[in-house]
Amino acid sequence: MANICAIHDLAGVGRCSLVAAISVLSAMGHHCAPLPTAIFSNQTGFPAYSFLDLTGEIPFYLKNWQELSLKFDIVYTGFLGNHLQPELLLGYLSDKGVQDAFLLVDPVMGDEGRLYSFYPPEYVAKMKKLIKRADMITPNMTEFCLLAGSSYQKAGDLSEDEFLALANAIASPRLKYAVITGSVEGGLAINRIISLLDNTITVVSSKHTGISYSGTGDVFSSAVCGFLGRGEDALTAVRKATAFLEKVALATAKDHDPRYGICYEAFLGELAKA
């Protein structure tokens, strides 16, 4: 069992963010300590939602954790509530309880070629600082291009050398893996694992349902985190997480509203054994 700090928003409806992280990591036998960055009534794919930014509370939250001398093996970040939060987290990551922790960053900040509208342009620079401390990142193609300072490009249009050039634009002494998620190519869902240790790319594919479900990236990254916490290597963790996501997505009913996310609950027992 690993002690894992999960830093995400909490959405009441949508099977994403902390709901996904807590359920997946707990099912895999880990202790998951949540740090909520914001609270939503429901995920933002619905036409309306309430939003509570918790930036003002985070310093007090982290101060109490430091006073308790809490230690974590893995820190796993997702959606951050505003452009101030990456720096708050960087400060915390220098604390002796987490300074050696493996950091997995899912840099949730854009999709379909655009930065999310609720983030100011300077948010990208803040996220670039955070990922320099990361050991692994799991961006989609939009986020990968933003971090690399490139205009948006579709994954299927890039050569291996072009992927490596983008990856090396975000490289740091610590960053080992960039897992580029969510590309749909030729009816397949493609995840590319770029190793910055040896400049290699491994492609992991799965069947695509033709439906985009809310929160699939959160379920995927949470499963990757869980497998890493068990001591699996990065390639194995991504392969197993991809297989799990494929099975759940294919089993989710076609008439299920995709805004509610994939129906993974019945499959959590399989993660416990995977």
Side-chain angles (χ1 to χ4, degrees), residues 11 22 27 33 37 46 55 61 66 92 122 130-131 136 157 188 191 223 228 232 236 248 257 264-265:
I22 294 169
T37 59
F46 289 90
T55 302
Y61 201 107
Q66 290 168 323
Y92 174 58
E122 59 264 32
L130 182 60
I131 68 165
M136 175 185 283
D157 295 338
L188 297 175
N191 296 316
L228 292 172
E232 301 279 16
T236 301
V248 175
D257 186 334
Y264 61 77
E265 292 90 344

Side-chain angles (χ1 to χ4, degrees), residues 38-165:
I39 297 176
F40 290 87
S41 56
N42 44 272
Q43 64 92 4
T44 59
F46 289 90
Y49 54 87
S50 69
F51 169 68
L52 176 64
D53 182 351
L54 294 179
T55 302
E57 183 62 26
I58 289 175
F60 301 103
Y61 201 107
L62 293 176
K63 181 174 182 292
N64 283 325
W65 277 7
Q66 290 168 323
E67 289 173 349
L68 292 169
S69 299
L70 297 182
K71 295 183 179 181
F72 295 104
D73 304 300
I74 298 174
V75 176
Y76 161 40
T77 75
F79 176 87
L80 304 183
N82 69 30
H83 66 288
L84 301 175
Q85 290 188 10
E87 289 193 13
L88 285 175
L89 298 182
L90 274 173
Y92 174 58
L93 288 162
S94 65
D95 181 74
K96 63 182 180 181
V98 291
Q99 62 186 6
D100 295 324
F102 186 99
L103 177 60
L104 191 162
V105 174
D106 185 3
V108 181
M109 59 179 179
D111 205 356
E112 298 180 351
R114 297 185 299 274
L115 182 71
Y116 290 139
S117 60
F118 42 75
Y119 284 138
E122 59 264 32
Y123 186 78
V124 177
K126 304 288 186 180
M127 184 56 69
K128 285 181 180 180
K129 290 183 180 180
L130 182 60
I131 68 165
K132 287 186 180 298
R133 165 59 179 82
D135 296 276
M136 175 185 283
I137 60 173
T138 57
N140 61 30
M141 197 62 198
T142 296
E143 293 154 352
F144 186 47
C145 290
L146 286 169
L147 291 169
S150 168
S151 58
Y152 174 67
Q153 301 175 75
K154 292 184 178 180
D157 295 338
L158 296 181
S159 68
E160 183 169 302
D161 285 344
E162 288 170 323
F163 262 107
L164 290 173

